[in-house]
């Protein structure tokens, strides 16, 4: 029996583990992929108070090592169900906790166009920092208008010969600082008010068609399209124990409570106004602290 079973080893889950371990609780962290969550792919983090600049990889690895040093048990298993009695069932085993914290983050959003899945790894990528180096001296495009797309375009401009930045509006959701940096780059071309509507090639991606708001289409020949259009949560498996909103996010009461006593939610997977590293670690610390407090109250 664990005190707390945490689902997800991103910043929210690992911070919850940090707080719970420091309170001498027995903690299990379950992660389906790799530790770090989305921040692992951020080339630079420069808005975390007290740290001027750090790569997402270094940040995530520091946090992971900090939690491991405290004795965290981390298992790489995929959660398939959580019972109301706080049993967490994975693809390999089942684990009982006194409390459960759901901190599973969100998945990369797909463009949902023909052949997208077919070309993954063959000219379609969702991670510039993972795959960018394969495109040294080549032509690439990034689609999206948030910080991820902007950072990806900056990163790729230092590797690729040419980077197209395709966004469906003429204003960016991401920070102006990044937009200004991109405007200075000679090998970056903005393709605004446009959507990628088709992917073409035989064995691998060879070109894309973009359509602008006036229905004009143009072909761009390239070697890779990096899709950075945000994330979607994957919460249906928890629908027996939590309420989920129309966009798939978990409804949170007073920040981290769900409708089931002893089951908490933290990070990007919950309904919230700002999905950032700072708010994820805030959630993780609150969820663990409240879980521990309520465990004590229930014992009394
Ligand atoms: P995001 O902020 O949600 O932006 C997604 C972008 O993709 C938006 O510009 C959106 O366009 C566009 N988009 C969405 N669906 C689309 C579709 N079907 N077709 C075409 N375009 C589509 O996502 P994100 O950039 O991944 O960032 C997620 C969060 O992490 C944000 O809070 C961000 O600030 C944060 N982040 C921080 C850092 C950092 O601090 N260093 C780095 C990366 C990310 P519209 O604008 O038109 O809606």
């Amino acid at each position: 029996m664990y005190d707390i079973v945490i689902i997800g080893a991103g910043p929210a889950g690992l911070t919850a583990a940090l707080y719970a371990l420091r309170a001498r609780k027995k903690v299990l962290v379950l992660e389906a992929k790799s530790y770090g969550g989305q921040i692992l792919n951020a080339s630079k983090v420069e808005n975390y108070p007290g740290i001027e600049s750090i790569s997402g990889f270094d940040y995530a690895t520091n946090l992971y090592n900090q939690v491991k040093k405290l004795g965290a048990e981390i298992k790489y298993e995929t959660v398939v169900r959580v019972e109301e009695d706080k049993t967490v069932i994975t693809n390999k085993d089942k684990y009982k906790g006194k409390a459960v914290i759901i901190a599973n983050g969100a998945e990369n959003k797909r463009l949902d166009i023909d052949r997208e899945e077919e070309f993954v790894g063959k000219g379609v990528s969702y991670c510039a920092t993972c795959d960018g180096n394969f495109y040294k001296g080549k032509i690439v495009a990034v689609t999206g208008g948030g910080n991820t797309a902007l950072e990806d375009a900056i990163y790729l401009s230092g590797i690729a010969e040419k980077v197209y930045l395709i966004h469906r509006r003429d204003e960016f959701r991401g920070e102006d600082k990044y937009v200004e940096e991109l405007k200075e780059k000679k090998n970056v071309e903005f393709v605004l008010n446009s959507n990628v509507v088709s992917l073409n090639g035989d064995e691998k991606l060879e070109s894309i068609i973009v359509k602008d708001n006036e229905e004009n289409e143009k072909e761009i020949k390239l070697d890779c399209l990096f899709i950075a259009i945000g994330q979607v949560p994957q919460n249906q498996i928890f629908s027996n124990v939590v309420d989920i909103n129309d966009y798939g996010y978990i409804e949170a009461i007073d920040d981290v409570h769900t409708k089931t006593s002893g089951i908490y939610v933290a990070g990007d997977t919950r309904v919230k106004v700002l999905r950032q590293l700072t708010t994820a670690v805030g959630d993780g610390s609150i969820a663990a602290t409240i879980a521990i407090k309520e465990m004590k109250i229930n014992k009394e």
Side-chain angles (χ1 to χ4, degrees), residues 227-241:
I227 300 171
I229 58 167
Q231 290 78 36
V232 275
Q234 301 293 333
N235 287 322
Q236 277 315 313
I237 55 160
F238 306 120
S239 60
N240 58 321
V241 287

Side-chain angles (χ1 to χ4, degrees), residues 20-251:
L21 288 161
R22 286 171 57 87
R24 305 287 182 261
K25 296 295 164 200
K26 191 172 180 214
V27 174
L28 172 65
V29 181
L30 294 167
E31 168 59 53
K33 292 180 188 146
S34 61
Y35 73 83
Q38 290 167 49
I39 204 67
L40 203 61
N41 300 327
S43 53
K44 272 190 282 177
V45 178
E46 294 186 335
N47 58 1
Y48 192 88
I51 301 178
E52 206 174 309
S53 184
I54 188 167
S55 75
F57 178 83
D58 285 349
Y59 173 81
T61 305
N62 289 348
L63 177 56
Y64 172 82
N65 289 337
Q66 188 179 10
V67 170
K68 277 299 269 184
K69 259 193 197 160
L70 288 171
E73 200 179 328
I74 302 180
K75 289 183 191 269
Y76 291 92
E77 298 180 19
T78 303
V79 172
V80 294
R81 191 174 165 82
V82 176
E83 302 290 359
E84 233 180 293
D85 70 354
K86 271 74 82 185
T87 301
V88 180
I89 301 156
T90 72
N91 55 338
K92 293 192 183 149
D93 215 330
K94 46 166 87 165
Y95 307 95
K96 181 93 170 67
K98 291 178 194 158
V100 172
I101 297 174
I102 301 172
N104 59 330
E107 296 264 305
N108 290 319
K109 199 167 150 188
R110 302 303 204 232
L111 273 176
D112 275 337
I113 55 173
D114 277 355
R115 306 187 71 191
E116 187 173 352
E117 295 302 322
E118 176 191 334
F119 284 129
V120 172
K122 297 173 194 158
V124 166
S125 169
Y126 299 87
C127 177
T129 43
C130 317
D131 299 333
N133 258 318
F134 298 128
Y135 299 97
K136 230 172 237 169
K138 306 262 179 174
I139 298 170
V140 302
V142 177
T143 185
N147 272 345
T148 304
L150 298 176
E151 280 196 348
D152 285 358
I154 292 169
Y155 175 70
L156 290 165
S157 70
I159 298 171
E161 185 190 314
K162 164 115 193 175
V163 180
Y164 293 94
L165 176 58
I166 304 159
H167 179 38
R168 64 183 177 186
R169 294 188 292 137
D170 59 0
E171 269 183 16
F172 288 92
R173 187 177 290 269
E175 291 168 51
D176 290 344
K177 174 178 161 296
Y178 293 135
V179 178
E180 280 156 26
E181 194 176 332
L182 280 164
K183 280 183 182 160
E184 298 293 311
K185 303 220 177 258
K186 293 207 165 48
N187 64 341
V188 175
E189 183 176 330
F190 287 63
V191 183
L192 301 178
N193 296 314
S194 299
N195 281 292
V196 179
V197 291
S198 83
L199 306 171
N200 311 309
D202 291 327
E203 300 283 294
K204 60 178 184 56
L205 184 70
E206 287 162 17
S207 74
I208 58 173
I209 305 287
V210 291
K211 194 194 256 187
D212 70 19
N213 291 352
E214 275 142 26
E215 304 287 306
N216 301 310
E217 290 192 356
K218 82 167 175 185
E219 183 181 27
I220 298 176
K221 292 200 183 334
L222 45 58
D223 299 288
C224 189
L225 172 66
F226 289 89
I227 300 171
I229 58 167
Q231 290 78 36
V232 275
Q234 301 293 333
N235 287 322
Q236 277 315 313
I237 55 160
F238 306 120
S239 60
N240 58 321
V241 287
V242 303
D243 285 327
I244 297 169
N245 79 359
D246 291 345
Y247 303 99
Y249 293 98
I250 296 175
E251 298 280 5

